[in-house]
């Protein structure tokens, strides 16, 4: 169990003094916690969480001077990158009698790296996590590699030197060692002895930036690289911090035989080794394509396969689970004792396996303080069970959101979801300090877990959804943990800085963020096939409705968004959208349930369609259809077909003439703050524009010279109290205004003597400890008493800092802690 009193420093300092943290605030212990009211029963649903589960597998073919660019979607996109055209073993010629003549070896070229940068950037924008396999063959050709192993190593060095993997390592889950043999599966090639493959692993560990995992095809490759015998694998324990922790395995013969088609030499021992490796690296692959042969062995049977999936921490599969698992019903005989999977009893084994590949977090308890005063601290205790086969491997960042009426602020935490291990329950106990100027009222508390580096416009992306019903908010990409009532503080002291300034600096996951700012989800569209929040699709966006169908439209600076309500009766739905401009140009696109996308203008990069029930949402890049804000449209037509029923049309609707909105998003919302006199304060408007101009206002009056994205109050005084707003003008002349900050008051700068109980000229945790010790030992109040550490008369005066003149109480120690937390730990993230 983890207990955090806002910071490990605060808690440890108090405990070191022999005091209980609860002595600081006895009222908090008396109030207790209340249940969140959420359901703790696991949801039976497939949840595509980042970096795990089914892969979206793409097979690019790259050639000198020609590398395609992709814009995929998916929680985990695996690229099988064919570079055979750069290898003499694959780009040669074959005579009529089948004789192969070697071709020419080429270096990877600038087009190759430029194109992959564009693809990876599209993946970042689309919210993907990615994985890679470089290979010289995609068709099962023998000996596809270059003429020398040095050229293989040279290609790997080129990839390293390009900086490509380093640049995108935050969204890079793993890299398969690949390269050699048929399909990059390291058999049937020139360099597929275990010695070559161990050298290849060493080169890949050097090429791929740490801590990104590198996976091998068989366990003996690791053994050779590690300098141990294969028989010693089961007992091998990698050293903490070693490169060995990065090595996982990809199994392309999964469940195909008792050895997984040659993957294992001793399945029991080597899966024991794999179970240790796959806590810090990836294990996955694809089920064998020969089910008839697989059925000759017992490995595939659910009673054997499912326990092994937990043992080896299966994190991903290339979308080909054995269909025969649909004929088995999941129940106790296939389950393990360590996890509560009872919600899936009665479902098919196929469904159970599909939904538990990777990690799967279920909230089993969530209790929190019923209320907290402004500037106070509240408790949140919760338990998470990971019923999935694995724990997360890429770094996951967890933080809390306070949300009210579509506006939210963020609070950092040191929770590590990567340690929410498979088939285990983790208890977390958190204390959160809320700003002294937060508006009173009911606030919803969310726990947000993310992978990758995401800016404020990507709040919903790469976010982890817990497997509980009715707690997921897709607009925030966060999980509801309960609500709390923030009450008005009795007073906001002006004699010290303990509850005055809500100005913080904090670095979250490599991004410098400031301040205790508020943000908003209003105006943002999350393309997930659901109405994500009451603020997403509003009546002013409605274009038409007829016979149970409707169509809505909005846009931002990059994309057109369309939402429709249509029938959900199709067995194999095909969602069509046809947009006709006033000039007569028509664009038709459809998205089939099998993943096929048609576009009558060719490249559909960036277009997304998601549906759920009767709701369908489209995101279409404006440039894809030659659109911009103000483009006049003759009509937008939505229609649904069922390809399983002779392409029957099940619903259709046409909009009247309309105009693409000229719009962009502002993510900032009004923040309320109390400032310290003379202390610099920065305000900032968050948008994703380039070439925009800005004008700041105070109480509706333009501020001379305030024309940047940021506005500073360099030395705040009482004359700066007021409401600040900004008007943003985009490069194409679209104007939008937003309220940014309400400065409630500016208070005198904190006098260092307040709280300085030991009179050393500085306020630190020792002062809080000394105050508490003084309360437990009255001698310490007696100047000149028997205790050599007794408070001096000046120290006694300084210690009386919460309400000067009222005497020393636990509130004085608590005030010192809150002051230090604000100055040192800067808890609000934004």
């Amino acid at each position: 169990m983890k207990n955090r009193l806002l910071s490990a420093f605060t808690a440890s300092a108090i405990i070191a003094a022999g005091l209980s943290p609860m002595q600081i605030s006895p009222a908090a212990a008396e109030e207790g916690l209340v249940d969140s009211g959420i359901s703790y029963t696991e949801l039976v649903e497939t949840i595509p969480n980042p970096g795990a589960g089914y892969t979206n597998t793409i097979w690019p073919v790259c050639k000198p001077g020609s590398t395609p660019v992709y814009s995929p979607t998916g929680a985990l996109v695996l690229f099988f990158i064919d570079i055979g055209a750069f290898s003499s073993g694959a780009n040669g010629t074959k005579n009529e009698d089948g004789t192969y003549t070697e071709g020419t070896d080429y270096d990877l070229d600038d087009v190759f790296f430029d194109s992959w940068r564009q693809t990876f950037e599209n993946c970042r924008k689309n919210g993907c996590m990615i994985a890679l396999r470089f290979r010289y063959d995609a068709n099962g050709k023998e000996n596809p590699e270059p003429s020398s192993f040095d050229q293989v190593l040279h290609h790997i060095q080129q990839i390293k030197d390009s900086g490509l993997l380093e640049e995108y390592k935050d969204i890079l889950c793993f890299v398969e060692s690949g390269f050699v043999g048929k399909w990059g599966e390291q058999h049937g090639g020139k360099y597929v002895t275990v010695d070559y493959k161990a050298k290849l692993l060493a080169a890949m560990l050097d090429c791929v930036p740490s801590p990104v995992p590198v996976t091998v095809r068989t366990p003996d490759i690791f053994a050779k690289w590690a300098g141990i015998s294969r028989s010693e694998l089961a007992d091998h324990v990698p050293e903490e911090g070693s490169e060995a922790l990065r090595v996982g395995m990809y199994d392309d013969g999964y469940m195909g035989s008792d050895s997984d088609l040659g993957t294992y030499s001793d399945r029991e021992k080597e899966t024991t080794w794999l179970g240790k490796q796959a806590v810090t690296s990836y294990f996955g692959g694809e089920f064998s394509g020969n089910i008839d042969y697989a059925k000759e062995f017992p490995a595939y049977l659910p009673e054997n396969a499912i326990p092994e999936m937990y043992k080896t921490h299966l994190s991903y599969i290339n979308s080909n689970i054995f269909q025969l698992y649909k004929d088995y019903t999941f129940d106790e005989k296939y389950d393990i004792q360590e996890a509560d999977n009872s919600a899936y009893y009665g479902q098919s084994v196929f469904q159970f396996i599909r939904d538990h590949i990777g990690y799967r977090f279920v909230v089993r308890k969530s209790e929190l303080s019923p209320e907290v005063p402004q500037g106070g601290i509240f408790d949140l205790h919760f338990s998470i069970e990971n019923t999935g086969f694995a724990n997360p491997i890429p770094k996951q960042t967890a933080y809390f959101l306070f949300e009210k009426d579509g506006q939210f602020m963020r609070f950092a935490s040191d929770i590590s979801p990567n340690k929410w291990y498979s088939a285990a329950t983790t208890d977390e106990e958190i204390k959160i300090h809320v700003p002294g100027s937060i508006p009173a009222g009911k606030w919803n508390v969310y726990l947000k877990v993310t992978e990758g580096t995401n800016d404020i416009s990507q709040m919903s992306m790469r976010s982890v959804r817990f497997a509980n019903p009715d707690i997921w908010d897709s607009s925030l990409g966060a999980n509801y943990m309960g609500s709390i009532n923030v009450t008005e503080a009795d007073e906001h002291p002006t004699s010290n800085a303990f509850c005055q300034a809500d100005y913080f600096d904090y670095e979250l996951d490599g991004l410098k963020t400031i301040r205790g700012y508020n943000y908003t989800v209003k105006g943002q569209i999350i393309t997930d096939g659901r109405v994500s929040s009451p603020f997403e699709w509003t009546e002013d966006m409605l274009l038409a409705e007829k016979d149970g169908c409707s169509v809505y439209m909005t846009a931002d600076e990059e994309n057109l968004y369309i939402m429709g309500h249509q029938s959900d009766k199709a067995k194999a739905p095909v969602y069509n959208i046809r947009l006709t401009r006033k000039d007569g140009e028509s664009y038709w696109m459809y998205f089939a349930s099998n993943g096929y996308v048609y576009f009558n203008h060719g490249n559909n990069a960036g277009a997304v369609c998601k549906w759920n029930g009767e709701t369908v949402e489209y995101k279409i890049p404006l440039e894809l259809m030659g659109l911009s804000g103000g483009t006049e449209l003759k009509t937008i037509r939505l229609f649904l077909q069922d390809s399983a029923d002779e392409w029957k049309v099940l619903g259709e609707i046409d909009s009247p003439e309309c105009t693409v909105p000229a719009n962009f998003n502002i993510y900032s919302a009004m923040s309320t703050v109390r400032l310290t006199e003379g202390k610099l304060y920065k305000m900032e408007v968050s948008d994703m524009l380039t070439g925009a101009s800005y004008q700041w206002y105070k109480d509706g009056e333009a501020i001379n010279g305030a024309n940047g994205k940021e506005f500073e109050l360099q030395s705040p005084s009482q004359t700066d109290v007021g409401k600040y707003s900004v008007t943003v003008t985009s490069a194409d002349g679209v104007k939008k205004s937003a309220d940014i900050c309400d400065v409630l008051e500016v208070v005198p700068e904190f006098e260092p003597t307040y709280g300085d109980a030991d009179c050393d000229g500085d306020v630190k945790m020792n002062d809080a400890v000394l105050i508490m010790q003084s309360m437990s030992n009255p001698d310490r109040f007696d100047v000149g008493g028997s205790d050599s550490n007794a408070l001096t008369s000046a120290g006694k005066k300084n210690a009386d800092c919460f309400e000067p003149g009222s005497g020393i109480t636990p509130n004085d120690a608590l005030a010192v802690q809150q002051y230090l937390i604000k100055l040192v730990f800067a808890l609000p993230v934004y």
Side-chain angles (χ1 to χ4, degrees):
M1 179 180 295
K2 302 173 184 176
N3 188 300
R4 302 171 180 83
L5 184 62
L6 289 163
S7 70
F9 173 75
T10 304
S12 60
I14 295 171
I15 293 169
L19 302 171
S20 164
M22 298 313 295
Q23 287 180 270
I24 299 291
S25 181
E30 296 171 2
E31 292 175 358
L33 306 180
V34 296
D35 186 79
S36 64
I38 68 177
S39 170
Y40 304 122
T41 300
E42 184 174 1
L43 185 67
V44 178
E45 183 179 326
T46 302
I47 299 175
N49 273 325
Y54 262 22
T55 62
N56 174 12
T57 308
I58 299 175
W59 295 33
V61 176
C62 307
K63 301 176 181 180
S66 176
T67 293
V69 174
Y70 295 85
S71 184
T73 60
L76 177 55
V77 179
L78 175 56
F79 292 99
F80 288 155
I81 303 173
D82 182 359
I83 56 172
F86 295 88
S87 169
S88 60
N91 64 16
T93 58
K94 183 180 287 188
N95 297 335
E96 291 183 3
D97 63 0
T99 302
Y100 179 78
T101 301
E102 293 272 317
T104 304
D105 291 326
Y106 298 100
D107 286 356
L108 303 175
D109 56 18
D110 290 342
V111 174
F112 176 86
F113 292 110
D114 290 345
S115 296
W116 279 109
R117 272 195 170 81
Q118 293 178 56
T119 292
F120 290 175
E121 189 60 28
N122 289 338
C123 290
R124 186 186 294 285
K125 290 180 179 179
N126 294 344
C128 307
M129 297 295 287
I130 60 176
L132 312 173
R133 179 197 297 180
F134 297 95
R135 60 186 186 178
Y136 293 112
D137 170 64
N139 301 299
K141 183 186 180 302
E142 294 272 355
N143 301 321
E145 303 92 340
S147 58
S148 71
F149 188 65
D150 283 344
Q151 183 64 17
V152 177
L153 297 179
H154 177 63
H155 283 158
I156 294 172
Q157 188 65 41
Q158 280 192 281
I159 294 169
K160 177 184 178 180
D161 293 344
S162 73
L164 176 68
L165 304 188
E166 178 70 32
E167 188 175 345
Y168 291 94
K169 69 179 181 181
D170 65 300
I171 62 169
L172 181 59
C173 291
F174 62 90
V175 181
E176 297 178 357
S177 51
F179 280 93
V180 298
K182 299 178 181 180
W183 302 287
E185 294 179 11
Q186 303 189 337
H187 63 86
K190 299 172 184 174
Y191 316 115
V192 295
T193 65
V194 69
D195 289 329
Y196 273 126
K197 289 185 285 189
K199 293 176 182 177
L200 182 62
L201 172 59
M204 291 300 291
L205 285 169
D206 179 63
C207 170
V208 177
S210 180
V212 178
V214 176
T215 59
V216 295
R217 179 62 189 87
T218 52
D220 60 329
I221 302 170
F222 174 87
K224 184 69 176 181
W225 170 83
I228 61 175
S229 69
R230 191 166 187 172
S231 62
E232 295 177 297
L233 281 171
D235 298 322
H236 179 75
V237 179
E239 293 183 11
E240 189 69 28
S242 70
E243 289 289 84
L245 293 170
R246 297 173 58 196
V247 182
M249 192 173 82
Y250 63 102
D251 183 351
D252 289 342
Y254 194 53
M255 296 296 163
S257 69
D258 57 352
S259 68
D260 281 5
L261 305 181
T263 299
Y264 301 114
S265 66
D266 185 322
R267 191 178 194 106
E268 178 61 29
K269 289 184 177 180
E270 292 178 2
T271 54
T272 297
W273 162 79
L274 185 56
K276 290 179 285 188
Q277 292 297 128
V279 174
T280 55
S281 189
Y282 268 86
F283 171 59
E286 57 191 53
F287 279 79
S288 167
N290 189 343
I291 184 61
D292 291 332
Y293 183 68
K295 289 167 72 172
E296 296 180 17
F297 305 90
Y300 81 96
L301 292 171
E303 60 266 33
N304 300 322
I306 290 174
E308 186 178 284
M309 290 171 184
Y310 275 107
K311 178 183 180 182
T312 56
H313 309 308
L314 181 68
S315 278
Y316 73 93
I317 283 292
N318 297 339
S319 306
N320 71 334
I321 297 174
F322 287 154
Q323 293 295 307
L324 61 79
Y325 287 141
K326 292 180 179 179
D327 298 329
Y328 293 83
T329 300
F330 181 73
D331 58 22
E332 294 96 328
K333 66 177 174 290
Y334 302 136
D335 204 356
I336 65 170
Q337 293 183 350
E338 295 81 1
D340 179 3
N341 293 315
S342 57
Y344 273 79
Y345 290 175
Q347 304 297 319
S348 71
V349 165
F350 183 97
Q351 181 74 23
F352 175 78
I353 293 174
R354 172 71 180 87
D355 293 354
H356 289 77
I357 299 171
Y359 56 92
R360 185 177 178 89
F361 298 147
V362 185
V363 182
R364 297 301 191 188
K365 180 185 80 172
S366 182
E367 301 172 346
L368 64 170
S369 304
E371 64 180 26
V372 62
Q374 293 168 325
I377 298 171
F378 81 92
D379 292 89
L380 173 61
H381 296 182
F382 62 95
S383 300
I384 299 289
E385 181 180 12
N386 182 358
T387 63
F389 299 141
N391 56 286
I393 301 302
K395 179 185 176 184
Q396 291 193 340
T397 300
Y399 54 93
F400 294 92
L401 305 179
F402 260 34
E403 182 274 334
K404 186 174 184 286
D405 300 328
Q407 298 186 9
F408 63 92
M409 62 180 67
R410 312 206 309 177
F411 296 81
S413 90
D414 62 352
I415 292 172
S416 179
N418 296 88
K419 296 181 179 180
W420 292 347
Y421 296 115
S422 169
T425 298
T426 304
D427 298 319
E428 304 277 8
E429 295 187 1
I430 307 295
K431 291 180 182 287
I432 298 178
H433 175 263
V434 300
S437 54
I438 185 174
K442 179 182 176 181
W443 287 80
N444 297 316
V445 181
Y446 288 85
L447 175 54
K448 183 173 176 65
V449 179
T450 66
E451 292 184 4
T453 302
N454 308 301
D455 61 43
I456 196 66
S457 71
Q458 299 171 316
M459 274 296 291
S460 64
M461 293 184 178
R462 286 176 284 271
S463 297
V464 176
R465 179 184 173 189
F466 297 167
N468 295 74
D470 304 321
I471 69 169
W472 176 247
D473 187 313
S474 57
S475 63
L476 297 170
N479 303 276
Y480 175 76
M481 302 296 285
S483 60
I484 189 166
N485 184 39
V486 177
T487 60
E488 293 278 357
D490 292 336
E491 64 175 315
H492 296 281
T494 57
S495 59
N496 58 62
F498 296 147
C499 299
Q500 292 169 0
D502 293 314
Y503 172 49
F504 307 95
D505 288 347
Y506 197 86
E507 186 167 304
L508 174 66
D509 203 23
L511 293 179
K512 183 69 174 179
T513 60
I514 298 183
R515 312 146 165 135
Y517 280 175
N518 276 2
Y519 290 84
T520 181
V521 300
K522 295 179 180 178
Q524 298 179 47
I525 304 299
I526 311 302
T527 313
D528 60 356
R530 293 174 168 86
V531 178
S532 304
S533 77
F535 314 101
E536 186 177 30
W537 294 103
T538 52
E539 286 302 309
D540 59 307
M541 303 174 187
L542 178 64
L543 298 179
E545 52 186 343
K546 175 186 175 184
D547 299 331
C549 297
S550 59
V551 56
Y552 292 70
M553 176 182 67
T554 188
D556 59 22
E557 60 270 32
E558 292 186 349
N559 300 297
L560 178 72
Y561 300 93
I562 304 293
M563 189 268 283
H565 291 301
Q566 297 176 285
S567 169
D568 61 350
K569 304 302 182 185
K571 293 181 180 179
V574 179
Y575 288 89
N576 294 258
I577 180 170
R578 184 185 291 273
L579 183 149
T580 305
R581 299 193 319 214
K582 268 288 192 68
D583 61 11
E585 189 71 29
S586 181
Y587 298 85
W588 175 30
M589 187 178 294
Y590 68 71
F591 298 80
S593 56
N594 64 0
Y596 180 75
V597 180
Y598 168 79
F599 184 37
N600 68 341
H601 281 64
N603 183 11
N604 65 327
V608 176
C609 176
K610 299 290 184 180
W611 58 87
N612 183 66
E614 296 185 347
T615 301
V616 58
E617 292 181 311
Y618 300 88
K619 180 178 76 171
I620 301 171
L622 292 170
E623 62 182 7
L624 202 64
M625 295 185 174
L627 306 175
S628 61
T631 300
E632 295 182 337
L633 305 178
K634 185 177 181 180
T635 187
I636 297 173
R637 183 174 186 241
L638 303 184
F639 61 103
L640 172 67
Q641 295 173 285
D642 188 351
S643 62
D645 187 13
E646 299 181 343
W647 293 79
K648 180 180 178 181
V649 176
L650 300 184
E652 57 187 317
I653 187 167
D654 294 270
S655 78
E657 293 184 357
C658 53
T659 302
V660 175
N663 191 26
F664 57 86
N665 282 324
I666 291 179
Y667 302 95
S668 304
M670 175 73 86
S671 300
T672 55
V673 298
R674 289 179 173 82
L675 303 182
T676 301
E677 193 174 83
K679 294 285 187 178
L680 173 71
Y681 183 72
K682 292 182 181 179
M683 305 175 198
E684 183 180 39
V685 58
S686 289
D687 60 53
M688 297 296 124
L689 300 176
T690 56
S693 60
Y694 304 86
Q695 176 60 59
W696 288 84
Y697 298 82
K698 180 192 175 203
D699 295 329
E701 296 291 329
I703 303 172
N704 186 38
N707 306 120
K709 194 168 187 175
E710 293 184 349
F711 172 65
E712 295 182 355
L713 294 176
Q714 295 196 2
S715 183
S717 66
Q718 284 298 325
T719 60
D720 294 312
V721 171
K723 293 184 178 180
Y724 293 81
S725 61
V726 64
T727 295
V728 183
T729 305
S730 68
D732 53 2
V734 179
K735 292 181 180 291
K736 201 168 184 179
S737 297
D739 295 326
I740 301 298
C741 188
D742 186 2
V743 178
L744 301 177
E745 61 178 324
V746 179
V747 299
E749 184 175 1
F750 172 68
E751 298 180 25
T753 55
Y754 281 108
D756 184 14
D758 60 5
C759 298
D760 68 348
D762 191 16
V763 179
K764 55 190 181 303
M765 186 52 60
N766 185 61
D767 295 302
V769 174
L770 186 56
I771 292 170
M772 293 304 298
Q773 289 175 334
S774 298
M775 294 189 63
S776 63
N777 183 355
D779 284 346
R780 295 196 174 193
F781 283 112
D782 298 329
V783 178
S786 60
D787 193 324
S788 61
N789 291 321
L791 291 172
T792 64
S793 56
K796 181 178 178 181
K797 181 178 179 181
N798 292 347
D800 184 13
C801 57
F802 181 71
E803 293 179 346
S806 64
I808 298 177
T809 70
N811 284 330
D812 296 304
L814 180 60
V816 171
Q817 291 179 73
Q818 291 177 328
Y819 170 67
L820 291 172
I821 289 163
K822 284 187 173 186
L823 290 187
V824 179
F825 297 101
L827 292 180
V829 177
Y830 277 119

